């Protein structure tokens, strides 16, 4: 559905055709609803903020009210986006909320710092004065035009002496009635342009406050450009590591296996019964080589991840971790193979860092996806904290791996703990 249609070849727009266009009346209906919607949005948000501030000093009772207000604000924003889509054909992608956290204080702070939450709140506060402006303008324009067009007919059917419009006695004469009808017709023909302008203003404000954060795309491109070189370097380092492991480990084991079999073959000609020990050595060397190859394959892409998904693959990681791990995997839909592989790598590297550096007694991993939305991974531990991606190659490598699919990584690790690693992986892979 298109709100405005540009004139072709420089032709002037036809006011009568614009008046009869369905988009004009859909836009007018949207604008007339702005006042009611804006009053509802502002009332709900201001009520939630009022009780948040009033109850906050009383043992932080305002904190759950603030969290509830933020989620109600999300629901109101979705209603507004649905109204824009149904009446104007404008689609605004909803912003995702920060991942849920069992710690209400930490989650409330994350909601307060989130730019999407703040911008939604600003829009719902601005919606009231904006709705009064747009609804009032459209209402008085259309009702005034219809009233002026109908006034001469009503005066003719129901004559009245001394009838006036805005203090001017137009209704008593034929010329006055004609002039009144002409003004009404002019207002009616002008109304499509006014509706288009107000609709454009409404859409611009909605896109600015309900759409993506301004500048986020440019910052994202800069971040991807900076991380691309690190991803290439990491891939090259991984390739050299694999070559070194194969050359120094598995290849040497296979060479030793060949030499042992050669010795067994030479001894078999002289003493067929004395090669049992050599065959035992060869058998053990073959098993060791297979074990090393399985370790390399598991580090690249474990077969269980392809066959059974993240739940089974992460369960194996959690069992092998020396720190006790509580694992929760709740995926409504299985993500793509690329997202699964990155999620597996993130959890494996995260738990490795927990075991090596955190001195934690307990860790938890939560993997969540609702419907076709993004995959959220939260890794937390009760260790000493102090993790900083700027100082550690492990966390920086995780950030590079996540950014390769347009995901985001956030580390919350104050000195003394706890450490919370939050990763958002998109539903689909970015276009290449």
């Amino acid at each position: 559905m298109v709100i405005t249609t540009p004139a072709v070849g420089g032709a002037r727009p036809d006011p009568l055709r614009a008046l009869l266009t369905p988009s004009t009346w859909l836009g007018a209906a949207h604008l007339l609803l702005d006042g009611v919607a804006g009053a509802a949005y502002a009332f709900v948000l201001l009520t939630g903020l009022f009780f948040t501030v009033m109850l906050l000093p009383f043992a932080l009772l305002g904190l759950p009210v603030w969290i509830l207000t933020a989620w109600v604000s999300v629901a109101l924003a979705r209603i507004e986006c649905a109204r824009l889509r149904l009446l104007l054909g404008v689609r605004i992608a909803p912003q995702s909320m920060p991942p849920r956290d069992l710690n209400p204080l930490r989650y409330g702070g994350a909601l307060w710092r989130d730019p999407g939450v703040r911008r939604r709140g600003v829009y719902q506060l601005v919606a009231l004065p904006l709705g009064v402006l747009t609804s009032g303008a459209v209402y008085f324009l259309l009702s005034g035009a219809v009233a002026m067009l109908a006034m001469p007919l009503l005066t003719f059917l129901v004559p009245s002496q001394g009838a006036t419009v805005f203090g001017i006695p137009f209704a008593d004469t034929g010329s006055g009635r004609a002039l009144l009808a002409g003004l009404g017709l002019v207002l009616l023909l002008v109304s499509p342009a006014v509706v288009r302008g107000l609709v454009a203003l409404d859409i611009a404000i909605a896109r600015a406050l309900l759409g993506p954060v301004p500048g986020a795309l440019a910052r994202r491109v800069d971040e991807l450009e900076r991380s691309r070189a690190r991803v290439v370097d990491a891939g090259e380092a991984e390739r050299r590591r694999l070559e070194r492991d194969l050359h120094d480990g598995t290849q040497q084991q296979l060479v030793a296996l060949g030499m042992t079999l050669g010795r067994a073959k030479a001894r078999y000609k002289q003493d067929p019964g004395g090669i049992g020990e050599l065959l035992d050595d060869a058998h053990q060397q073959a098993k060791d080589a297979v074990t090393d190859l399985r370790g390399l394959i598991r580090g690249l892409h474990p077969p269980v991840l392809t066959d059974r998904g993240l739940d089974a693959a992460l369960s194996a990681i959690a069992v092998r971790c020396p720190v006790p791990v509580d694992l929760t995997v709740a995926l409504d839909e299985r993500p793509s193979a690329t997202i699964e592989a990155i999620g597996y790598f993130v959890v494996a590297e995260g738990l490795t860092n927990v075991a090596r550096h955190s001195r934690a007694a307990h860790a938890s991993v939560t993997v969540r996806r609702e419907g076709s939305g993004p995959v959220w991974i939260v890794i937390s531990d009760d260790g000493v904290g102090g993790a900083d991606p700027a100082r550690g190659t492990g966390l920086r490598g995780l950030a590079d791996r996540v950014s390769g699919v347009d995901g985001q990584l956030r580390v919350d690790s104050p000195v003394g703990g706890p450490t919370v690693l939050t990763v958002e992986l998109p539903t689909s892979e970015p276009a290449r």
Side-chain angles (χ1 to χ4, degrees), residues 159-302:
S160 61
Q161 298 296 327
T164 61
V165 176
F166 299 112
I168 303 175
F170 280 156
D172 286 344
T173 63
S175 59
R177 290 193 293 269
L179 181 58
L180 192 62
L183 288 175
L185 182 61
V186 170
L187 286 178
L188 196 61
L189 294 177
V190 168
S191 59
V194 176
V195 168
R196 285 197 300 270
L198 293 177
V199 164
L201 174 65
D202 208 357
I203 293 175
I205 295 176
R207 288 189 187 279
L209 296 177
L210 296 182
V213 178
L217 180 59
R219 290 193 297 270
R220 191 64 183 150
V221 170
D222 293 339
E223 180 184 348
L224 289 175
E225 289 178 349
R226 289 192 300 268
S227 66
R228 181 175 56 185
R230 296 198 298 267
V231 170
V232 173
D233 292 341
E236 181 64 19
E238 184 72 9
R239 183 187 64 81
R240 290 195 298 268
R241 183 188 69 81
L242 290 174
E243 289 179 349
R244 184 173 61 252
D245 291 344
L246 288 172
H247 181 271
D248 298 340
T250 307
Q251 179 177 329
Q252 297 300 322
Q253 290 175 339
L254 293 177
V255 170
L257 173 62
M259 294 176 63
T260 301
L261 291 175
R263 291 167 56 196
K265 180 180 179 181
R267 182 176 295 183
Y268 180 76
K269 296 179 180 178
Q270 302 174 359
D271 184 14
I275 64 172
E277 183 178 351
L278 292 175
L279 291 178
D280 291 338
D281 290 343
H283 182 238
Q284 184 61 41
Q285 291 169 0
K287 290 196 298 183
D288 292 341
V290 170
T291 300
D292 286 352
L293 284 174
R294 285 177 177 173
L296 289 174
I297 294 172
R298 186 184 297 113
L300 293 175
H301 191 90

